[in-house]
Amino acid sequence: MPQHSLGATVAGHSPAMFAGPPGTRPPAAYRLLSLDIVLALLALAGGLRVLSLAAPVPALPAEAANVAHAYALGHLTSFTDAGGGGVSPFGWLQLSVYTMVTDAFGRSPTALDAVRETMVAAALAGALLLWFLARRLGLTRWASAAAVLLLAASPLALGLQRLVLVEHLAVVWALGALVLITRPDARIRHDALAAACLLAAVLTSPLSLFFLPAAGWLLVRRAPVRAALVAVLLNLGLGIAFGPAAWLRPHLAAAGRPALADWAALDPGWAVLSAAALVAALAVPAVRPFAVSGLLLSATLLVPGVPATAVLALLLPITPLLPAGVLQAVTRRRTPAHRERAGHRGAVLAAAVLVAVVAAGWGYGYPALRPSADRSGPLTEAREWLRDNASGARLLVDDAAWAELANAGWPTGMLAAPAACAVTCPPAEWAVFGVDGSELRRRYPALDTVSGDAAATAVFGAGDRRVTVSRLGVPPPDPAAASEWSARTHAGEALTASARITLAQEAAAALHAGDVDPRLVTTIAALSALRPVRVAAFPAVPGEDAAGLPRRRVLLTGADDTAAAFYTGQRDLFRPSSVRPADGGVLVTYPLCAPTGLLVP
């Protein structure tokens, strides 16, 4: 059988990929143009994905477990996630290898950014493999470029491919296998390597099994005997992985948000185009195997408990092939005399459809992916707060906080994840949790016991990104005791009435509201007896206002040396944690948690 491209074999016609006698290599100029197109598309895909890393939404709770496992494997420490994020030891190993080889944890500001860098690399590899696959299926240069451009520029792809999902790694393995299978001059070693890639995809995510129909279909068309060989090798590998090496067995994450509708809202044009192309591609021989696998994957969205995000991550790099293949097939159904003109009209039609889809994506999806100007995020702010106020303490943390704090140098032996509370929680002084703790408390009832005597001390972020730092072991308030807030309010009003104290407007408002630490109220009153006092502000400590704590910092201006000497000479309860020059004055900061009863109501 003459060696043509698979597109010619399955469709029954030669793709005429370049002008020249059969069997000759494409001209150098043709190859260089293809290389230029590929490099430009990869640059576009990489640039857009790097920019989208700073977008705060959409977010995925299961990311935290994957990031923490990648860090733990790379640093040879143990970690058990809270559950619900899926299990993929082989996927975690791939993430860990990339971060170790590239020193991503050392270069990136946060652990999440470090592992998301792996997703950018996987997206670029997927785009490159999609180009090769499209060309080997007989798609023209421009149809292949249109398919890759859809993947590179769609807001849905940008939003989804930035998330740390093992499915993004699995689809790269699957695409690699399909590229090897569609190789025109494939030998046994290529088919054996394709079987290994399919095995790696399945071990990374069990949903990759739905790529086997497409792979088997293409193999049977090319060489039925080779299909049997690949099936034997794949079954042998799966038997070992699910038998003696059962620790490699993957499990899907629990279903949750973002839901299918949330993702479709990022690019409704592509969602509609992909759904139509999945059906229409069944009539096009060259891409029919992919339509079958795509429809099977899509059907899993109807199964309760299957995460829509994982399914879309596998569908995403495959679906652009289908509209490109359908459009090319439609435009080529002409007589030989009209094929050249039909090719040009087809290119124009494909470009018009592509522009319409991308324009719809720009209108709906890109505003939702607007990068945040603040790259730190609530977890980073919580980490800095803990470093300043609870350094070296034992912490009870969720999966996301475990990875960030461990990456920041917090000893992992001082970090307890929720899984450690299976029976009873280990001793801890502080807790750091995200907004949704109800599911964790349902899974680990011991957390309820710990949270019963916890007091929120700092709150960072808002909505679904909120992170709360709580102090554990706080005794419940005595209902018979006098109100601390009432005492602070009365004392604050007395200070504002003093002729020896000059207050800025915001500082006076904080005293009237009872929002100033009693140690500051007491020492300012004492200092005013020695000399006039000018209070410029009571600066808030980030996160503490949201937790309802009184302000424990004061900025004093005028007679700096006297004020500094006064505060550095304090003892016991009234000794500040720091006294330093700042903003033309002296900034005095007291430690957390003032004792009760310092002020009389």
Side-chain angles (χ1 to χ4, degrees):
M1 182 180 190
Q3 297 294 318
H4 299 302
S5 74
L6 187 68
T9 304
V10 298
H13 62 272
S14 171
M17 297 169 66
F18 62 92
T24 61
R25 292 175 59 82
Y30 184 94
R31 296 196 301 271
L32 287 175
L33 178 58
S34 296
L35 179 61
D36 290 342
I37 294 173
V38 171
L39 292 177
L41 291 171
L42 291 179
L44 175 65
L48 290 175
R49 276 153 182 78
V50 169
L51 290 175
S52 70
L53 289 179
V57 292
L60 186 69
E63 275 189 295
N66 292 331
V67 173
H69 279 292
Y71 180 89
L73 280 174
H75 293 78
L76 301 179
T77 187
S78 60
F79 173 76
T80 303
D81 61 68
V87 177
S88 179
F90 187 58
W92 299 334
L93 181 61
Q94 295 170 63
L95 295 174
S96 177
V97 168
Y98 178 90
T99 54
M100 285 192 298
V101 170
T102 63
D103 189 30
F105 284 114
R107 293 182 292 99
S108 302
T110 66
L112 180 61
D113 286 343
V115 186
R116 279 185 173 179
E117 185 181 306
T118 314
M119 300 297 98
V120 174
L124 293 179
L128 181 62
L129 291 170
L130 178 63
W131 168 271
F132 282 113
L133 183 59
R135 297 296 281 145
R136 289 185 176 178
L137 290 172
L139 270 65
T140 64
R141 244 185 344 214
W142 303 113
S144 302
V148 178
L149 182 58
L150 273 175
L151 181 63
S154 169
L156 172 56
L158 296 177
L160 183 57
Q161 291 188 326
R162 57 187 270 281
L163 301 180
V164 181
L165 290 171
V166 294
E167 280 74 19
H168 293 318
L169 305 175
V171 77
V172 172
W173 288 111
L175 284 171
L178 295 170
V179 168
L180 288 168
I181 289 171
T182 53
R183 184 184 175 97
D185 56 347
R187 299 180 182 273
I188 292 179
R189 64 176 181 271
H190 299 123
D191 292 338
L193 187 57
C197 288
L198 289 172
L199 177 62
V202 174
L203 291 181
T204 303
S205 171
L207 285 173
S208 301
L209 286 167
F210 289 97
F211 285 108
L212 297 185
W217 194 326
L218 295 171
L219 275 168
V220 168
R221 280 176 164 177
R222 177 167 58 79
V225 175
R226 298 279 186 86
L229 172 65
V230 170
V232 169
L233 293 175
L234 182 60
N235 283 321
L236 177 62
L238 290 175
I240 294 174
F242 285 78
W247 60 273
L248 282 173
R249 186 180 305 169
H251 299 284
L252 289 176
R257 301 192 69 87
L260 180 62
D262 299 324
W263 289 118
L266 286 178
D267 197 344
W270 192 12
V272 173
L273 180 63
S274 298
L278 278 171
V279 178
L282 292 174
V284 181
V287 293
R288 186 179 297 154
F290 303 95
V292 172
S293 284
L295 287 170
L296 291 174
L297 260 175
S298 302
T300 62
L301 294 170
L302 304 176
V303 179
V306 174
T309 302
V311 175
L312 289 177
L314 293 174
L315 276 173
L316 198 64
I318 297 298
T319 49
L321 277 176
L322 305 181
V326 170
L327 283 173
Q328 178 170 300
V330 169
T331 55
R332 283 193 166 184
R333 286 179 181 173
R334 300 288 187 274
T335 62
H338 296 128
R339 279 187 183 172
E340 183 176 354
R341 284 180 297 171
H344 291 295
R345 288 196 299 270
V348 173
L349 177 61
V353 171
L354 181 62
V355 167
V357 171
V358 172
W362 273 87
Y364 285 91
Y366 278 96
L369 296 175
R370 185 179 295 110
S372 172
D374 181 12
R375 294 296 302 271
S376 58
L379 263 179
T380 303
E381 295 172 353
R383 182 190 69 194
E384 297 301 320
W385 188 94
L386 287 165
R387 185 193 62 186
D388 295 337
N389 299 281
S391 181
R394 292 183 176 274
L395 308 180
L396 182 62
V397 297
D398 60 15
D399 293 348
W402 190 96
E404 295 299 339
L405 290 169
N407 186 48
W410 207 283
T412 55
M414 307 293 283
L415 299 174
C421 296
V423 178
T424 181
C425 290
E429 302 161 68
W430 297 88
V432 186
F433 285 94
V435 61
D436 187 15
S438 58
E439 178 63 23
L440 286 177
R441 289 194 294 272
R442 185 191 62 79
R443 193 172 294 150
Y444 301 103
L447 284 174
D448 267 336
T449 305
V450 173
S451 60
D453 59 358
T457 310
V459 178
F460 304 92
D464 292 340
R465 303 183 70 214
R466 189 173 75 243
V467 175
T468 302
V469 180
S470 303
R471 189 183 181 196
L472 302 180
V474 178
D478 183 1
S483 167
E484 285 291 316
W485 173 81
S486 177
R488 294 197 306 266
T489 302
H490 283 87
E493 290 174 348
L495 285 186
T496 58
S498 173
R500 295 179 61 83
I501 302 175
T502 303
L503 298 164
Q505 184 177 356
E506 291 184 0
L511 285 169
H512 273 294
D515 291 339
V516 179
D517 190 289
R519 293 165 296 183
L520 283 177
V521 174
T522 303
T523 53
I524 291 173
L527 179 59
S528 68
L530 302 176
R531 55 170 292 275
V533 177
R534 296 179 63 87
V535 178
F538 292 103
V541 177
E544 294 185 11
D545 273 7
L549 265 64
R551 297 191 177 183
R552 54 188 176 93
R553 297 197 297 187
V554 64
L555 179 62
L556 302 173
T557 58
D560 298 348
D561 293 340
T562 305
F566 174 82
Y567 276 100
T568 53
Q570 297 297 311
R571 295 290 181 268
D572 301 328
L573 295 179
F574 297 101
R575 183 175 183 85
S577 57
S578 72
V579 179
R580 62 182 180 83
D583 297 329
V586 175
L587 181 66
V588 180
T589 304
Y590 272 92
L592 278 167
C593 307
T596 59
L598 291 180
L599 300 174
V600 179

